[in-house]
Amino acid sequence: MKKIVEGGLIVAAAAGIYVAASYAQMNFDTVEIKATKVSGNIWMLEGAGGNIGVSVGEDGVLLVDDQFAPLTGKILAAVKKISDKPVKFLVNTHWHWDHTGGNENLGKAGVLIVAHDNVRTRLLTDQATLLGKSAASPKIALPVITFDNSVTYHINGETMHVYKVPPAHTDGDAFVRFKNANVVHTGDVFASGRYPYIDSVNGGSVAGIVKAMDDLIPTLGDDTKVIPGHGPLSSKKDVIAYRNMIATVGARVEALVKQGKTLDEVKAARPTAEFDAAWGKPRSGDEFVPFVYYSYAPYKK
Ligand SMILES: [Zn+2]
């Protein structure tokens, strides 16, 4: 058994079991949804799972990601305190369970779900990841509209650009940029102040994350607000620190893989050592290294 750490919650899982079964053991009753005003009419909700972006205004509520199914009621209650308009739209930044878990509930409520083509493809069938298996989603939970490169919303006085980034955390990551409010939601391609999960056996990779950060950083101003997939509301300097941490660890692990080292040997070399104090919670360096390792070494499913 090993620990899964997402959104500050720790559950036990083994590669052969379903991730959802692990999360079902979590006590969602104690989770509180915290709302933070980000900029203009954009808000961020934190609970368990990925951070949620919210656009409010006269045209209705748009959510970016929806955490876990048992939290949908609490999430909608938190939204109601911000806006009396109905939730109309949902964007999924990627397919993972802690960002799409509320899709079924919201789909049943008539919310229009939009995501990259590969998000729908992954949700359609069972998936195997380094954190465990994930079961196919019912039809009502699937994105209704998908895009290959980008889609633009014109709502709530905002121009909101949703665009695909190269395979990074998964093979279907999108960034959501609220142009007027000067806010970007990065999904899990960026985790702030903590080691990220990388779905490196399903198209994600360290090289992809570094590329996505190198493309993103020049577009950020000093006052741009960045909503990370996990971690606190952030800024350009946090993104740069993350990019440099992951590039450094990645280069070390890549060199060791090229020398033919096994995963245990790479762990023993402690490639994250000087970062662990600042970045090693809630996921430790030892738990992070496999995601980096399988960015460079083949993995047999
Ligand atoms: Zn993820």
Side-chain angles (χ1 to χ4, degrees):
M1 296 290 270
K2 65 180 182 181
K3 289 181 296 176
I4 290 179
V5 185
E6 291 294 343
L9 295 173
I10 298 174
V11 294
I17 69 156
Y18 280 88
V19 178
S22 305
Y23 284 116
Q25 295 166 12
M26 291 197 314
N27 185 2
F28 287 103
D29 295 347
T30 59
V31 175
E32 290 180 20
I33 305 295
K34 177 185 158 202
T36 304
K37 185 165 185 172
V38 177
S39 174
N41 55 1
I42 309 303
W43 293 68
M44 167 174 152
L45 302 183
E46 295 166 88
N51 291 324
I52 296 174
V54 187
S55 165
V56 299
E58 61 181 5
D59 300 320
V61 175
L62 175 144
L63 300 179
V64 181
D65 290 343
D66 54 20
Q67 300 190 348
F68 296 102
L71 294 175
T72 304
K74 289 184 182 181
I75 291 164
L76 293 178
V79 167
K80 227 180 189 94
K81 287 184 187 164
I82 303 169
S83 171
D84 58 2
K85 300 286 186 184
V87 178
K88 284 193 175 172
F89 304 101
L90 167 68
V91 175
N92 292 141
T93 58
H94 63 295
W95 71 269
H96 284 152
W97 45 86
D98 55 327
H99 295 254
T100 61
N103 276 25
E104 183 174 356
N105 293 332
L106 294 174
K108 283 177 180 165
V111 175
L112 184 70
I113 306 175
V114 178
H116 183 264
D117 296 335
N118 291 350
V119 173
R120 189 171 194 281
T121 303
R122 293 273 178 201
L123 290 175
L124 271 171
T125 56
D126 289 7
Q127 299 293 320
T129 78
L130 290 172
L131 293 182
K133 293 194 287 184
S134 180
S137 296
K139 182 169 179 282
I140 194 76
L142 298 173
V144 177
I145 295 175
T146 61
F147 59 89
D148 54 0
N149 281 308
S150 71
V151 62
T152 304
Y153 287 72
H154 306 272
I155 58 164
N156 297 333
E158 180 64 66
T159 303
M160 186 187 103
H161 191 209
V162 185
Y163 63 101
K164 165 109 167 51
V165 297
H169 172 70
T170 69
D171 64 357
D173 303 304
F175 286 171
V176 180
R177 183 177 286 270
F178 301 95
K179 292 190 173 180
N180 303 358
N182 197 13
V183 175
V184 183
H185 191 312
T186 61
D188 280 357
V189 182
F190 167 51
S192 189
R194 59 183 67 197
Y195 292 130
Y197 169 47
I198 308 169
D199 201 347
S200 42
V201 299
N202 293 303
S205 71
V206 166
I209 290 177
V210 172
K211 167 86 170 81
M213 295 298 104
D214 284 343
D215 290 344
L216 175 67
I217 289 165
T219 73
L220 303 176
D222 290 336
D223 54 353
T224 304
K225 300 276 202 303
V226 183
I227 301 175
H230 297 273
L233 187 61
S234 296
S235 66
K236 182 177 183 174
K237 70 173 175 32
D238 301 312
V239 176
I240 292 170
Y242 170 81
R243 182 259 177 231
N244 291 340
M245 177 279 292
I246 204 164
T248 302
V249 175
R252 284 177 191 158
V253 172
E254 183 180 20
L256 293 167
V257 168
K258 280 187 176 154
Q259 292 167 25
K261 303 288 189 201
T262 66
L263 175 57
D264 284 342
E265 288 168 340
V266 171
K267 277 186 185 172
R270 305 206 58 229
T272 63
E274 86 268 29
F275 296 108
D276 286 347
W279 298 82
K281 279 185 188 154
R283 174 176 285 119
S284 71
D286 260 11
E287 290 167 325
F288 172 53
V289 166
F291 311 145
V292 183
Y293 183 81
Y294 290 116
S295 291
Y296 303 103
Y299 178 79
K300 284 200 187 83
K301 286 188 187 177

